[in-house]
Amino acid sequence: MTKFTDAQIDAGAKFLRETLQAGKRLTAWEMTPKATKKKWLALSEGTLMAALNEQVPG
């Protein structure tokens, strides 16, 4: 099973947040509250795992 690095999950979280919240005034990622970051990080990890599972035959 592939383990994603924190950097991959963090990059995915930033991308998802900026994409899904496009057009809204966003706080810089570094200034985002910890609880909000956790939400985006969990979503990112879930998205990465789903993408990986779709590529694995069987």
Side-chain angles (χ1 to χ4, degrees):
M1 182 173 201
T2 301
K3 174 75 172 136
F4 295 103
T5 65
D6 290 342
Q8 289 172 311
I9 294 170
D10 193 56
K14 288 179 196 176
F15 174 78
L16 286 171
R17 178 176 173 258
E18 290 170 4
T19 307
L20 296 174
Q21 301 293 309
K24 295 183 181 179
R25 293 180 57 193
L26 297 175
T27 309
W29 182 251
E30 294 75 24
M31 304 292 286
T32 301
K34 190 177 284 190
T36 303
K37 272 188 181 179
K38 283 184 179 182
K39 171 188 139 185
W40 289 107
L41 291 168
L43 182 61
S44 171
E45 188 168 23
T47 302
L48 289 169
M49 290 304 294
L52 177 68
N53 288 335
E54 286 180 7
Q55 294 176 2
V56 176

Tab-separated table of all heavy atoms in Angstrom:
chain	number	residue	atom	x	y	z
A	1	MET	N	0.848	-1.183	0.000
A	1	MET	CA	0.000	0.000	0.000
A	1	MET	C	0.890	1.243	0.000
A	1	MET	O	1.856	1.324	0.738
A	1	MET	CB	-0.902	-0.028	1.232
A	1	MET	CG	-1.853	1.121	1.315
A	1	MET	SD	-2.966	0.833	2.703
A	1	MET	CE	-4.266	1.885	2.236
A	2	THR	N	0.546	2.179	-0.817
A	2	THR	CA	1.335	3.406	-0.936
A	2	THR	C	1.022	4.349	0.208
A	2	THR	O	-0.129	4.565	0.539
A	2	THR	CB	1.035	4.109	-2.270
A	2	THR	OG1	1.347	3.226	-3.331
A	2	THR	CG2	1.840	5.375	-2.408
A	3	LYS	N	2.064	4.895	0.788
A	3	LYS	CA	1.916	5.903	1.835
A	3	LYS	C	2.286	7.235	1.212
A	3	LYS	O	3.365	7.391	0.670
A	3	LYS	CB	2.841	5.572	3.015
A	3	LYS	CG	2.884	6.608	4.091
A	3	LYS	CD	1.623	6.559	4.928
A	3	LYS	CE	1.795	7.495	6.116
A	3	LYS	NZ	0.655	8.299	6.376
A	4	PHE	N	1.362	8.173	1.250
A	4	PHE	CA	1.631	9.483	0.695
A	4	PHE	C	2.426	10.309	1.690
A	4	PHE	O	2.233	10.193	2.897
A	4	PHE	CB	0.318	10.193	0.346
A	4	PHE	CG	-0.441	9.499	-0.738
A	4	PHE	CD1	-1.540	8.731	-0.454
A	4	PHE	CD2	-0.025	9.591	-2.058
A	4	PHE	CE1	-2.234	8.068	-1.456
A	4	PHE	CE2	-0.708	8.933	-3.066
A	4	PHE	CZ	-1.816	8.168	-2.760
A	5	THR	N	3.313	11.123	1.165
A	5	THR	CA	4.100	11.992	2.041
A	5	THR	C	3.251	13.179	2.476
A	5	THR	O	2.252	13.516	1.842
A	5	THR	CB	5.355	12.517	1.323
A	5	THR	OG1	4.935	13.367	0.246
A	5	THR	CG2	6.223	11.387	0.790
A	6	ASP	N	3.657	13.797	3.577
A	6	ASP	CA	2.951	14.986	4.056
A	6	ASP	C	2.974	16.088	3.000
A	6	ASP	O	2.009	16.825	2.848
A	6	ASP	CB	3.575	15.494	5.355
A	6	ASP	CG	3.296	14.561	6.527
A	6	ASP	OD1	2.368	13.731	6.430
A	6	ASP	OD2	4.000	14.659	7.541
A	7	ALA	N	4.067	16.174	2.257
A	7	ALA	CA	4.187	17.203	1.222
A	7	ALA	C	3.168	16.972	0.104
A	7	ALA	O	2.567	17.922	-0.393
A	7	ALA	CB	5.600	17.219	0.650
A	8	GLN	N	2.953	15.711	-0.283
A	8	GLN	CA	1.967	15.402	-1.316
A	8	GLN	C	0.562	15.746	-0.841
A	8	GLN	O	-0.229	16.330	-1.576
A	8	GLN	CB	2.031	13.921	-1.690
A	8	GLN	CG	3.261	13.529	-2.476
A	8	GLN	CD	3.345	12.029	-2.647
A	8	GLN	OE1	3.210	11.282	-1.683
A	8	GLN	NE2	3.571	11.592	-3.875
A	9	ILE	N	0.251	15.384	0.384
A	9	ILE	CA	-1.072	15.653	0.945
A	9	ILE	C	-1.280	17.154	1.095
A	9	ILE	O	-2.346	17.684	0.776
A	9	ILE	CB	-1.255	14.916	2.283
A	9	ILE	CG1	-1.249	13.396	2.033
A	9	ILE	CG2	-2.551	15.340	2.970
A	9	ILE	CD1	-1.181	12.559	3.278
A	10	ASP	N	-0.254	17.857	1.551
A	10	ASP	CA	-0.338	19.308	1.723
A	10	ASP	C	-0.559	19.998	0.378
A	10	ASP	O	-1.403	20.881	0.249
A	10	ASP	CB	0.934	19.832	2.395
A	10	ASP	CG	0.795	21.255	2.875
A	10	ASP	OD1	-0.136	21.531	3.662
A	10	ASP	OD2	1.604	22.112	2.460
A	11	ALA	N	0.182	19.573	-0.637
A	11	ALA	CA	0.032	20.164	-1.970
A	11	ALA	C	-1.367	19.895	-2.516
A	11	ALA	O	-1.998	20.773	-3.099
A	11	ALA	CB	1.085	19.602	-2.918
A	12	GLY	N	-1.865	18.688	-2.291
A	12	GLY	CA	-3.214	18.349	-2.736
A	12	GLY	C	-4.267	19.175	-2.022
A	12	GLY	O	-5.241	19.624	-2.620
A	13	ALA	N	-4.075	19.387	-0.725
A	13	ALA	CA	-5.025	20.183	0.061
A	13	ALA	C	-5.080	21.621	-0.452
A	13	ALA	O	-6.159	22.191	-0.623
A	13	ALA	CB	-4.639	20.162	1.538
A	14	LYS	N	-3.918	22.192	-0.702
A	14	LYS	CA	-3.873	23.565	-1.221
A	14	LYS	C	-4.565	23.641	-2.588
A	14	LYS	O	-5.350	24.545	-2.851
A	14	LYS	CB	-2.430	24.043	-1.362
A	14	LYS	CG	-1.752	24.315	-0.047
A	14	LYS	CD	-0.323	24.762	-0.299
A	14	LYS	CE	0.516	24.676	0.934
A	14	LYS	NZ	1.908	25.020	0.676
A	15	PHE	N	-4.280	22.667	-3.452
A	15	PHE	CA	-4.873	22.653	-4.782
A	15	PHE	C	-6.393	22.521	-4.705
A	15	PHE	O	-7.128	23.261	-5.350
A	15	PHE	CB	-4.295	21.507	-5.618
A	15	PHE	CG	-4.968	21.344	-6.946
A	15	PHE	CD1	-4.676	22.201	-7.995
A	15	PHE	CD2	-5.919	20.352	-7.145
A	15	PHE	CE1	-5.313	22.065	-9.229
A	15	PHE	CE2	-6.563	20.210	-8.365
A	15	PHE	CZ	-6.258	21.080	-9.407
A	16	LEU	N	-6.885	21.553	-3.908
A	16	LEU	CA	-8.326	21.361	-3.776
A	16	LEU	C	-9.007	22.607	-3.229
A	16	LEU	O	-10.051	23.026	-3.715
A	16	LEU	CB	-8.620	20.168	-2.856
A	16	LEU	CG	-8.361	18.788	-3.436
A	16	LEU	CD1	-8.483	17.729	-2.356
A	16	LEU	CD2	-9.330	18.499	-4.571
A	17	ARG	N	-8.409	23.195	-2.219
A	17	ARG	CA	-8.993	24.388	-1.603
A	17	ARG	C	-9.072	25.531	-2.611
A	17	ARG	O	-10.102	26.178	-2.758
A	17	ARG	CB	-8.160	24.809	-0.389
A	17	ARG	CG	-8.663	26.067	0.277
A	17	ARG	CD	-7.821	26.323	1.527
A	17	ARG	NE	-8.151	27.584	2.113
A	17	ARG	CZ	-7.428	28.695	1.999
A	17	ARG	NH1	-6.315	28.681	1.298
A	17	ARG	NH2	-7.793	29.804	2.576
A	18	GLU	N	-7.977	25.758	-3.316
A	18	GLU	CA	-7.945	26.864	-4.282
A	18	GLU	C	-8.875	26.597	-5.464
A	18	GLU	O	-9.466	27.519	-6.010
A	18	GLU	CB	-6.512	27.092	-4.756
A	18	GLU	CG	-5.639	27.671	-3.658
A	18	GLU	CD	-4.160	27.684	-4.005
A	18	GLU	OE1	-3.796	27.310	-5.140
A	18	GLU	OE2	-3.371	28.049	-3.121
A	19	THR	N	-9.034	25.336	-5.848
A	19	THR	CA	-9.891	24.991	-6.972
A	19	THR	C	-11.365	25.036	-6.581
A	19	THR	O	-12.179	25.642	-7.265
A	19	THR	CB	-9.547	23.580	-7.497
A	19	THR	OG1	-8.155	23.526	-7.772
A	19	THR	CG2	-10.299	23.273	-8.766
A	20	LEU	N	-11.690	24.396	-5.472
A	20	LEU	CA	-13.091	24.318	-5.055
A	20	LEU	C	-13.617	25.634	-4.495
A	20	LEU	O	-14.814	25.858	-4.475
A	20	LEU	CB	-13.269	23.200	-4.020
A	20	LEU	CG	-12.978	21.787	-4.545
A	20	LEU	CD1	-13.047	20.776	-3.410
A	20	LEU	CD2	-13.944	21.413	-5.649
A	21	GLN	N	-12.726	26.481	-4.035
A	21	GLN	CA	-13.136	27.759	-3.477
A	21	GLN	C	-12.781	28.914	-4.415
A	21	GLN	O	-12.683	30.058	-3.983
A	21	GLN	CB	-12.447	27.977	-2.117
A	21	GLN	CG	-12.754	26.911	-1.084
A	21	GLN	CD	-14.201	26.939	-0.644
A	21	GLN	OE1	-14.719	27.967	-0.272
A	21	GLN	NE2	-14.841	25.788	-0.682
A	22	ALA	N	-12.583	28.611	-5.678
A	22	ALA	CA	-12.194	29.624	-6.660
A	22	ALA	C	-13.187	30.780	-6.661
A	22	ALA	O	-14.386	30.586	-6.556
A	22	ALA	CB	-12.108	29.011	-8.045
A	23	GLY	N	-12.667	31.972	-6.756
A	23	GLY	CA	-13.498	33.163	-6.785
A	23	GLY	C	-13.805	33.728	-5.407
A	23	GLY	O	-14.330	34.819	-5.292
A	24	LYS	N	-13.474	32.978	-4.368
A	24	LYS	CA	-13.694	33.470	-3.012
A	24	LYS	C	-12.409	34.081	-2.485
A	24	LYS	O	-11.317	33.729	-2.921
A	24	LYS	CB	-14.127	32.327	-2.090
A	24	LYS	CG	-15.465	31.741	-2.462
A	24	LYS	CD	-15.876	30.674	-1.490
A	24	LYS	CE	-17.210	30.072	-1.880
A	24	LYS	NZ	-17.612	29.009	-0.960
A	25	ARG	N	-12.548	34.984	-1.568
A	25	ARG	CA	-11.364	35.582	-0.944
A	25	ARG	C	-10.815	34.590	0.074
A	25	ARG	O	-11.432	34.336	1.107
A	25	ARG	CB	-11.728	36.896	-0.260
A	25	ARG	CG	-12.144	37.969	-1.254
A	25	ARG	CD	-12.501	39.241	-0.573
A	25	ARG	NE	-11.387	39.701	0.244
A	25	ARG	CZ	-11.487	40.662	1.146
A	25	ARG	NH1	-12.628	41.264	1.342
A	25	ARG	NH2	-10.442	41.031	1.838
A	26	LEU	N	-9.676	34.006	-0.235
A	26	LEU	CA	-9.087	32.990	0.628
A	26	LEU	C	-7.945	33.558	1.446
A	26	LEU	O	-7.167	34.374	0.968
A	26	LEU	CB	-8.559	31.822	-0.205
A	26	LEU	CG	-9.592	31.037	-1.006
A	26	LEU	CD1	-8.892	29.991	-1.861
A	26	LEU	CD2	-10.596	30.395	-0.090
A	27	THR	N	-7.852	33.090	2.663
A	27	THR	CA	-6.710	33.410	3.511
A	27	THR	C	-5.522	32.616	2.977
A	27	THR	O	-5.694	31.498	2.487
A	27	THR	CB	-6.996	32.950	4.960
A	27	THR	OG1	-8.253	33.475	5.351
A	27	THR	CG2	-5.924	33.389	5.913
A	28	ALA	N	-4.340	33.160	3.087
A	28	ALA	CA	-3.144	32.412	2.683
A	28	ALA	C	-3.109	31.083	3.434
A	28	ALA	O	-3.522	31.001	4.590
A	28	ALA	CB	-1.894	33.220	2.982
A	29	TRP	N	-2.619	30.035	2.778
A	29	TRP	CA	-2.590	28.696	3.390
A	29	TRP	C	-1.887	28.729	4.744
A	29	TRP	O	-2.325	28.095	5.692
A	29	TRP	CB	-1.900	27.729	2.432
A	29	TRP	CG	-1.860	26.319	2.948
A	29	TRP	CD1	-0.765	25.652	3.389
A	29	TRP	CD2	-2.962	25.412	3.075
A	29	TRP	NE1	-1.112	24.385	3.779
A	29	TRP	CE2	-2.455	24.215	3.602
A	29	TRP	CE3	-4.321	25.506	2.804
A	29	TRP	CZ2	-3.266	23.104	3.853
A	29	TRP	CZ3	-5.113	24.393	3.053
A	29	TRP	CH2	-4.596	23.221	3.569
A	30	GLU	N	-0.815	29.473	4.822
A	30	GLU	CA	-0.051	29.541	6.071
A	30	GLU	C	-0.863	30.184	7.198
A	30	GLU	O	-0.601	29.940	8.366
A	30	GLU	CB	1.248	30.326	5.854
A	30	GLU	CG	2.238	29.655	4.911
A	30	GLU	CD	1.845	29.752	3.443
A	30	GLU	OE1	1.089	30.680	3.059
A	30	GLU	OE2	2.274	28.880	2.669
A	31	MET	N	-1.829	31.019	6.855
A	31	MET	CA	-2.639	31.732	7.844
A	31	MET	C	-3.983	31.029	8.110
A	31	MET	O	-4.764	31.485	8.930
A	31	MET	CB	-2.915	33.161	7.358
A	31	MET	CG	-1.669	33.961	7.040
A	31	MET	SD	-0.708	34.337	8.492
A	31	MET	CE	-1.740	35.587	9.212
A	32	THR	N	-4.240	29.949	7.408
A	32	THR	CA	-5.507	29.224	7.549
A	32	THR	C	-5.572	28.572	8.931
A	32	THR	O	-4.597	27.967	9.373
A	32	THR	CB	-5.622	28.150	6.450
A	32	THR	OG1	-5.541	28.802	5.186
A	32	THR	CG2	-6.914	27.383	6.536
A	33	PRO	N	-6.721	28.664	9.604
A	33	PRO	CA	-6.864	28.026	10.919
A	33	PRO	C	-6.623	26.515	10.849
A	33	PRO	O	-6.939	25.872	9.848
A	33	PRO	CB	-8.316	28.315	11.306
A	33	PRO	CG	-8.711	29.493	10.484
A	33	PRO	CD	-7.918	29.398	9.208
A	34	LYS	N	-6.087	25.962	11.920
A	34	LYS	CA	-5.710	24.551	11.969
A	34	LYS	C	-6.906	23.630	11.683
A	34	LYS	O	-6.775	22.649	10.961
A	34	LYS	CB	-5.117	24.223	13.336
A	34	LYS	CG	-4.473	22.847	13.399
A	34	LYS	CD	-3.839	22.587	14.743
A	34	LYS	CE	-2.545	23.344	14.820
A	34	LYS	NZ	-1.738	22.974	15.994
A	35	ALA	N	-8.072	23.938	12.222
A	35	ALA	CA	-9.250	23.091	12.005
A	35	ALA	C	-9.638	23.056	10.521
A	35	ALA	O	-10.007	22.010	9.992
A	35	ALA	CB	-10.420	23.586	12.843
A	36	THR	N	-9.536	24.190	9.865
A	36	THR	CA	-9.857	24.250	8.439
A	36	THR	C	-8.823	23.477	7.634
A	36	THR	O	-9.163	22.752	6.690
A	36	THR	CB	-9.922	25.718	7.965
A	36	THR	OG1	-10.881	26.406	8.755
A	36	THR	CG2	-10.300	25.812	6.506
A	37	LYS	N	-7.561	23.610	8.004
A	37	LYS	CA	-6.511	22.860	7.304
A	37	LYS	C	-6.753	21.361	7.423
A	37	LYS	O	-6.580	20.626	6.455
A	37	LYS	CB	-5.132	23.186	7.897
A	37	LYS	CG	-4.465	24.369	7.289
A	37	LYS	CD	-3.042	24.466	7.806
A	37	LYS	CE	-2.356	25.660	7.214
A	37	LYS	NZ	-0.984	25.805	7.698
A	38	LYS	N	-7.158	20.905	8.612
A	38	LYS	CA	-7.396	19.473	8.808
A	38	LYS	C	-8.466	18.963	7.854
A	38	LYS	O	-8.354	17.873	7.311
A	38	LYS	CB	-7.815	19.195	10.254
A	38	LYS	CG	-6.687	19.212	11.240
A	38	LYS	CD	-7.178	18.835	12.623
A	38	LYS	CE	-6.047	18.822	13.620
A	38	LYS	NZ	-6.511	18.416	14.956
A	39	LYS	N	-9.503	19.760	7.645
A	39	LYS	CA	-10.577	19.379	6.723
A	39	LYS	C	-10.025	19.180	5.320
A	39	LYS	O	-10.287	18.170	4.674
A	39	LYS	CB	-11.654	20.459	6.720
A	39	LYS	CG	-12.712	20.284	5.653
A	39	LYS	CD	-13.623	21.494	5.612
A	39	LYS	CE	-13.921	21.856	4.181
A	39	LYS	NZ	-14.695	23.054	4.025
A	40	TRP	N	-9.245	20.140	4.844
A	40	TRP	CA	-8.692	20.068	3.493
A	40	TRP	C	-7.643	18.970	3.380
A	40	TRP	O	-7.550	18.304	2.347
A	40	TRP	CB	-8.129	21.421	3.066
A	40	TRP	CG	-9.224	22.403	2.815
A	40	TRP	CD1	-9.574	23.462	3.611
A	40	TRP	CD2	-10.151	22.411	1.733
A	40	TRP	NE1	-10.653	24.113	3.075
A	40	TRP	CE2	-11.032	23.496	1.918
A	40	TRP	CE3	-10.329	21.604	0.614
A	40	TRP	CZ2	-12.060	23.791	1.034
A	40	TRP	CZ3	-11.351	21.908	-0.263
A	40	TRP	CH2	-12.208	22.983	-0.053
A	41	LEU	N	-6.856	18.751	4.429
A	41	LEU	CA	-5.850	17.693	4.399
A	41	LEU	C	-6.524	16.325	4.330
A	41	LEU	O	-6.083	15.439	3.589
A	41	LEU	CB	-4.925	17.791	5.612
A	41	LEU	CG	-3.997	19.003	5.610
A	41	LEU	CD1	-3.345	19.179	6.977
A	41	LEU	CD2	-2.942	18.901	4.533
A	42	ALA	N	-7.603	16.137	5.081
A	42	ALA	CA	-8.327	14.863	5.056
A	42	ALA	C	-8.952	14.633	3.678
A	42	ALA	O	-8.907	13.524	3.136
A	42	ALA	CB	-9.395	14.845	6.136
A	43	LEU	N	-9.522	15.677	3.109
A	43	LEU	CA	-10.111	15.577	1.775
A	43	LEU	C	-9.042	15.233	0.741
A	43	LEU	O	-9.243	14.391	-0.129
A	43	LEU	CB	-10.805	16.892	1.414
A	43	LEU	CG	-11.523	16.939	0.069
A	43	LEU	CD1	-12.634	15.899	0.017
A	43	LEU	CD2	-12.089	18.324	-0.167
A	44	SER	N	-7.891	15.858	0.875
A	44	SER	CA	-6.781	15.601	-0.045
A	44	SER	C	-6.320	14.152	0.050
A	44	SER	O	-6.147	13.479	-0.963
A	44	SER	CB	-5.617	16.536	0.280
A	44	SER	OG	-4.458	16.175	-0.441
A	45	GLU	N	-6.144	13.664	1.266
A	45	GLU	CA	-5.679	12.289	1.439
A	45	GLU	C	-6.706	11.304	0.884
A	45	GLU	O	-6.352	10.346	0.208
A	45	GLU	CB	-5.401	11.999	2.914
A	45	GLU	CG	-4.729	10.668	3.134
A	45	GLU	CD	-4.202	10.492	4.535
A	45	GLU	OE1	-4.698	11.159	5.473
A	45	GLU	OE2	-3.294	9.668	4.695
A	46	GLY	N	-7.985	11.576	1.124
A	46	GLY	CA	-9.038	10.717	0.586
A	46	GLY	C	-9.054	10.719	-0.935
A	46	GLY	O	-9.237	9.681	-1.572
A	47	THR	N	-8.850	11.886	-1.520
A	47	THR	CA	-8.823	12.008	-2.981
A	47	THR	C	-7.635	11.245	-3.559
A	47	THR	O	-7.767	10.530	-4.559
A	47	THR	CB	-8.757	13.489	-3.396
A	47	THR	OG1	-9.888	14.167	-2.853
A	47	THR	CG2	-8.746	13.642	-4.897
A	48	LEU	N	-6.480	11.368	-2.927
A	48	LEU	CA	-5.292	10.650	-3.401
A	48	LEU	C	-5.499	9.138	-3.308
A	48	LEU	O	-5.146	8.403	-4.228
A	48	LEU	CB	-4.058	11.075	-2.595
A	48	LEU	CG	-3.533	12.477	-2.862
A	48	LEU	CD1	-2.487	12.859	-1.815
A	48	LEU	CD2	-2.948	12.586	-4.259
A	49	MET	N	-6.078	8.677	-2.202
A	49	MET	CA	-6.308	7.245	-2.025
A	49	MET	C	-7.330	6.736	-3.049
A	49	MET	O	-7.164	5.658	-3.605
A	49	MET	CB	-6.788	6.945	-0.599
A	49	MET	CG	-5.712	7.131	0.448
A	49	MET	SD	-4.212	6.165	0.150
A	49	MET	CE	-4.831	4.512	0.352
A	50	ALA	N	-8.369	7.499	-3.310
A	50	ALA	CA	-9.374	7.101	-4.294
A	50	ALA	C	-8.753	7.000	-5.679
A	50	ALA	O	-9.031	6.049	-6.421
A	50	ALA	CB	-10.535	8.092	-4.297
A	51	ALA	N	-7.907	7.953	-6.034
A	51	ALA	CA	-7.246	7.940	-7.335
A	51	ALA	C	-6.325	6.725	-7.443
A	51	ALA	O	-6.269	6.061	-8.477
A	51	ALA	CB	-6.464	9.220	-7.547
A	52	LEU	N	-5.639	6.409	-6.372
A	52	LEU	CA	-4.737	5.253	-6.365
A	52	LEU	C	-5.544	3.964	-6.507
A	52	LEU	O	-5.175	3.076	-7.284
A	52	LEU	CB	-3.917	5.219	-5.072
A	52	LEU	CG	-2.984	4.015	-4.929
A	52	LEU	CD1	-1.859	4.089	-5.943
A	52	LEU	CD2	-2.416	3.952	-3.531
A	53	ASN	N	-6.647	3.846	-5.787
A	53	ASN	CA	-7.463	2.631	-5.835
A	53	ASN	C	-8.062	2.395	-7.220
A	53	ASN	O	-8.261	1.262	-7.622
A	53	ASN	CB	-8.564	2.684	-4.777
A	53	ASN	CG	-8.006	2.515	-3.387
A	53	ASN	OD1	-6.946	1.935	-3.199
A	53	ASN	ND2	-8.705	3.037	-2.409
A	54	GLU	N	-8.352	3.461	-7.951
A	54	GLU	CA	-8.895	3.315	-9.294
A	54	GLU	C	-7.843	2.787	-10.257
A	54	GLU	O	-8.172	2.145	-11.251
A	54	GLU	CB	-9.436	4.650	-9.805
A	54	GLU	CG	-10.729	5.048	-9.156
A	54	GLU	CD	-11.258	6.373	-9.660
A	54	GLU	OE1	-10.670	6.932	-10.625
A	54	GLU	OE2	-12.243	6.863	-9.114
A	55	GLN	N	-6.575	3.061	-9.967
A	55	GLN	CA	-5.497	2.637	-10.871
A	55	GLN	C	-5.026	1.216	-10.590
A	55	GLN	O	-4.382	0.611	-11.418
A	55	GLN	CB	-4.316	3.602	-10.732
A	55	GLN	CG	-4.629	4.998	-11.203
A	55	GLN	CD	-3.471	5.948	-10.969
A	55	GLN	OE1	-2.419	5.564	-10.483
A	55	GLN	NE2	-3.667	7.213	-11.297
A	56	VAL	N	-5.342	0.696	-9.413
A	56	VAL	CA	-4.866	-0.636	-9.041
A	56	VAL	C	-5.836	-1.689	-9.590
A	56	VAL	O	-7.014	-1.671	-9.258
A	56	VAL	CB	-4.773	-0.758	-7.500
A	56	VAL	CG1	-4.379	-2.165	-7.107
A	56	VAL	CG2	-3.783	0.245	-6.950
A	57	PRO	N	-5.338	-2.578	-10.464
A	57	PRO	CA	-6.229	-3.604	-10.985
A	57	PRO	C	-6.560	-4.639	-9.908
A	57	PRO	O	-5.755	-4.923	-9.037
A	57	PRO	CB	-5.403	-4.252	-12.107
A	57	PRO	CG	-3.977	-3.942	-11.792
A	57	PRO	CD	-3.992	-2.654	-10.992
A	58	GLY	N	-7.741	-5.175	-9.988
A	58	GLY	CA	-8.089	-6.245	-9.068
A	58	GLY	C	-9.218	-5.922	-8.228
A	58	GLY	O	-9.792	-6.409	-7.431
